Amino acid sequence: MSTAILTGQPVPGSSIEGDLRSLGFDVRVAVDAADAERLVAEAPCEQRIALVDARFVGHVHALRLGLTDPRFSLAAVPGAVTAQPDGRVILTRALARENSAGGGTAVAVDSLPDRIVTALADDGAEVYRPELGSLVATVPVDPQARNEARQAVADVDDEAVRLKSAVKSRDGFFTTHFISPYSRYIARWCARRGLTPNQVTTASLITALIAAACAATGTRGGFVAAGVLLIASFVLDCTDGQLARYSLQYSTLGAWLDATFDRAKEYAYYAGLALGAARGGDDVWALALGAMILQTCRHVVDFSFNEANHDATANTSPTAALSDKLDSVGWTVWVRRMIVLPIGERWAMIAVLTAVTTPRITFYVLLVGCAFAATYTTAGRVLRSLTRKAQRTDRAAKALADLADNGPLAGLLARVARAPFGAPFLVALAGTAVLAVALFSGVTWAPVAGAVVYAIAAAQALHRPLKGALDWLVPPLFRAAEYGTVLILAVQADVNGALPAAFGLVAAVAYHHYDTVYRIRGNAGAPPAWLVRAVGGQEGRTLLVAVAAAVLTASQFTVALTVLAVAVALVVLVESIRFWVSAGAPAVHDEGETA
């Protein structure tokens, strides 16, 4: 249980003690600032501590937002301040300094928590202040102000605001208009029954896996059931985030589940469709793998662009200004959100097509739609990059280098050939082009030679910091090169099992790349260097697959892909699970991504 310390003179008829207890606080009363310092020192070190002015008037949800969010060490609303265990030292120091300055005599006429917040800001401490909107949080100074504050509280429905704030402020058209209007009530139902976001996330995954199993039956009834269950899984997927926001239940484990399960569900469903088609005599594994590659590369474009530009200086362009101007025209916002096929629109399309058409048609439409969306978003971002005068930071350059996922072979080649060949993006583009030509040449050993040239180019592309206008495209190029190599060589093997094995390998490697993204977004840095070495780096895996295709028979190549897929999956999953369930993992929570 957390501890809340009420400071100042109690107000007859105030509900503040009951409100704090309803939020899980053990309430203590301090007669002055010195007494508050004593009570803070006596509270167990592993507990959250809160200082709340006894005269506080406001909504319970305002207190919940300000005092119970687990993502922030220090947080405050008017009249209240809180510290988690890792922020207790800073809070205690500020309180002690306030007492030594004689602040204890001013408690009756001034708010001690507000003075502490000012002292924390003067120390340079980062104090989270939630957006309250129409919610009330104030410390009235006289009876008239108290009556006005109480009336303001009565005029606003606390629960309605809480429900509304449970929904993302920015989401896709389908999610906003067809899911969130009722999924928020499911989230409240879950909260009132003690369910956690992680449990709902797991239920969403299980539902999606059952949908994939239904699709794998290859029957019309199975396809219809799969479509219905996929939508049900998406409803639960929206509900888990809304439940987290409704009840402020954020956790490191939840961050990992939320960051990875969407991809696992979608790609498992692709595999289910491919299995179902195979039961009907139609081999669409190449289409399923192509859809997964295209979708993963789209995400890498998003991640790389955002990492390159989120902290860049002079980060403006005419294209960005035009986009901002279009945002002021309501209907254009929804059109532009829909045409990029975010997860809501994409899953709805897949579900409907699964139920009424065939897996092949589903994949054809998905590939065309995602290709258009990828072209639209990438072209816009390239145009922005060429027209803006952004100065990228060292942090951004390091993030892009980590996303590139170069391994020990690239490191060795970089040391051998120290002189850079050219701009990183152009070098990576040239290496990828050589590899592509080699893969389609029809010559047995050409892909190996192409992979060697590509590995040299990958090493040289990271010889300089990735700060050029288009250098954020280097990681997406590497993803397309590695995944595309696996796909093309598996198709050329032309043997049963090669494409499913390739699907498994790309899925395992893609998980590693998504894991890297979310660690970087959580400011935890890239995965450890030993992990990158253990799985070979992207250029090492590309060369290994090319060599295996050249020296092994088609059936042996299939076995090699399977073994490599299992090995990569085991290594990256074990390390990822260890990291995300550890106490030091960041509590990343997705508030804006719709893809």
Side-chain angles (χ1 to χ4, degrees):
M1 179 175 285
S2 303
T3 298
I5 299 171
L6 285 177
T7 67
Q9 297 299 319
V11 177
S14 173
S15 64
I16 184 63
E17 288 193 42
D19 293 342
L20 289 170
R21 288 194 176 96
S22 72
L23 296 176
F25 286 96
D26 178 27
V27 181
R28 307 291 178 85
V29 178
V31 297
D32 55 24
D35 195 27
E37 183 179 1
R38 177 184 63 80
L39 290 173
V40 168
E42 292 176 354
C45 295
E46 70 277 5
Q47 286 188 0
R48 173 191 288 272
I49 196 79
L51 295 175
V52 183
D53 196 299
R55 300 163 298 170
F56 177 90
V57 175
H59 289 98
V60 176
H61 192 49
L63 286 172
R64 181 182 291 106
L65 291 172
L67 302 183
T68 67
D69 196 322
R71 295 173 296 173
F72 307 101
S73 298
L74 298 165
V77 292
V81 61
T82 185
Q84 294 210 71
D86 58 345
R88 285 277 293 273
V89 172
I90 304 173
L91 179 69
T92 302
R93 186 166 58 238
L95 184 57
R97 191 165 62 251
E98 179 66 24
N99 279 329
S100 66
T105 62
V107 172
V109 295
D110 192 16
S111 173
L112 174 62
D114 290 343
R115 296 204 309 272
I116 295 301
V117 172
T118 301
L120 290 170
D122 291 342
D123 279 349
E126 186 174 347
V127 181
Y128 170 68
R129 294 178 174 84
E131 291 289 338
L132 297 180
S134 59
L135 295 175
V136 176
T138 185
V139 179
V141 296
D142 56 53
Q144 180 180 350
R146 174 169 293 276
N147 289 334
E148 292 174 352
R150 285 175 171 171
Q151 184 58 49
V153 170
D155 289 342
V156 175
D157 186 341
D158 178 87
E159 180 61 18
V161 173
R162 187 182 179 189
L163 267 176
K164 183 178 180 181
S165 63
V167 178
K168 281 184 182 180
S169 58
R170 175 186 172 87
D171 222 327
F173 180 85
F174 179 77
T175 304
T176 299
H177 295 285
F178 293 92
I179 304 297
S180 293
Y182 58 88
S183 62
R184 69 184 74 181
Y185 295 101
I186 300 176
R188 181 172 66 180
W189 183 89
C190 293
R192 291 177 175 177
R193 281 151 185 82
L195 298 176
T196 67
N198 292 350
Q199 291 170 331
V200 178
T201 301
T202 303
S204 176
L205 174 65
I206 293 172
T207 304
L209 294 179
I210 295 173
C214 289
T217 63
T219 64
R220 177 52 52 195
F223 289 148
V224 172
V228 172
L229 288 171
L230 188 63
I231 293 297
S233 174
F234 182 65
V235 172
L236 291 174
D237 182 59
C238 295
T239 299
D240 65 359
Q242 291 165 0
L243 175 58
R245 286 182 285 273
Y246 181 85
S247 55
L248 298 184
Q249 296 183 72
Y250 304 112
S251 67
T252 54
L253 178 60
W256 174 62
L257 296 176
D258 187 61
T260 57
F261 275 16
D262 279 353
R263 305 289 84 80
K265 289 180 287 189
E266 185 169 0
Y267 299 157
Y269 192 82
Y270 292 175
L273 281 176
L275 287 170
R279 286 180 177 273
D282 190 12
D283 186 354
V284 297
W285 276 106
L287 297 177
L289 179 51
M292 180 168 67
I293 291 172
L294 179 55
Q295 191 58 36
T296 303
C297 289
R298 281 186 63 197
H299 286 138
V300 177
V301 167
D302 294 341
F303 296 142
S304 295
F305 180 80
N306 291 335
E307 285 299 325
N309 292 288
H310 85 278
D311 60 352
T313 59
N315 198 11
T316 59
S317 75
T319 308
L322 175 61
S323 179
D324 293 340
K325 186 176 296 185
L326 288 173
D327 282 343
S328 64
V329 183
W331 67 270
T332 67
V333 174
W334 290 119
V335 169
R336 288 188 295 141
R337 288 186 192 178
M338 291 172 66
I339 63 177
V340 298
L341 274 187
I343 188 169
E345 278 76 356
R346 191 169 67 251
W347 282 27
M349 180 185 74
I350 294 171
V352 171
L353 290 173
T354 298
V356 301
T357 65
T358 65
R360 179 171 291 274
I361 293 175
T362 300
F363 281 123
Y364 279 153
V365 176
L366 179 63
L367 285 166
V368 171
C370 287
F372 175 80
T375 302
Y376 170 78
T377 55
T378 305
R381 286 167 177 172
V382 168
L383 188 58
R384 288 190 183 201
S385 299
L386 293 174
T387 56
R388 70 182 11 147
K389 304 298 181 182
Q391 299 296 318
R392 296 196 170 92
T393 63
D394 291 338
R395 178 204 172 280
K398 184 179 185 310
L400 292 176
D402 290 335
L403 288 173
D405 192 36
N406 273 6
L409 177 60
L412 174 63
L413 292 173
R415 290 191 294 272
V416 171
R418 294 181 178 275
F421 293 159
F425 167 67
L426 295 179
V427 171
L429 182 62
T432 303
V434 169
L435 177 60
V437 170
L439 289 170
F440 288 104
S441 67
V443 180
T444 302
W445 283 92
V448 176
V452 170
V453 173
Y454 170 74
I456 296 172
Q460 289 299 308
L462 266 63
H463 195 281
R464 295 173 177 170
L466 300 180
K467 293 185 176 182
L470 296 179
D471 286 351
W472 58 270
L473 284 169
V474 170
L477 279 173
F478 288 172
R479 295 297 82 76
E482 179 183 0
Y483 301 161
T485 296
V486 176
L487 170 61
I488 294 167
L489 292 179
V491 169
Q492 291 175 353
D494 194 23
V495 63
N496 288 337
L499 280 165
F503 189 97
L505 175 58
V506 172
V509 175
Y511 177 88
H512 166 57
H513 290 143
Y514 279 115
D515 186 57
T516 301
V517 164
Y518 281 96
R519 293 193 197 210
I520 293 172
R521 286 178 55 174
N523 294 318
W530 71 261
L531 178 64
V532 177
R533 290 195 297 269
V535 296
Q538 57 87 21
E539 82 295 342
R541 291 187 298 271
T542 302
L543 180 58
L544 178 61
V545 171
V547 171
V551 302
L552 301 176
T553 65
S555 59
Q556 291 172 336
F557 178 60
T558 299
V559 173
L561 289 179
T562 303
V563 171
L564 184 57
V566 172
V568 171
L570 286 175
V571 173
V572 300
L573 277 172
V574 169
E575 162 55 22
S576 177
I577 293 171
R578 182 210 63 78
F579 172 78
W580 285 104
V581 301
S582 70
V588 181
H589 184 67
D590 173 20
E591 289 290 349
E593 186 181 59
T594 59

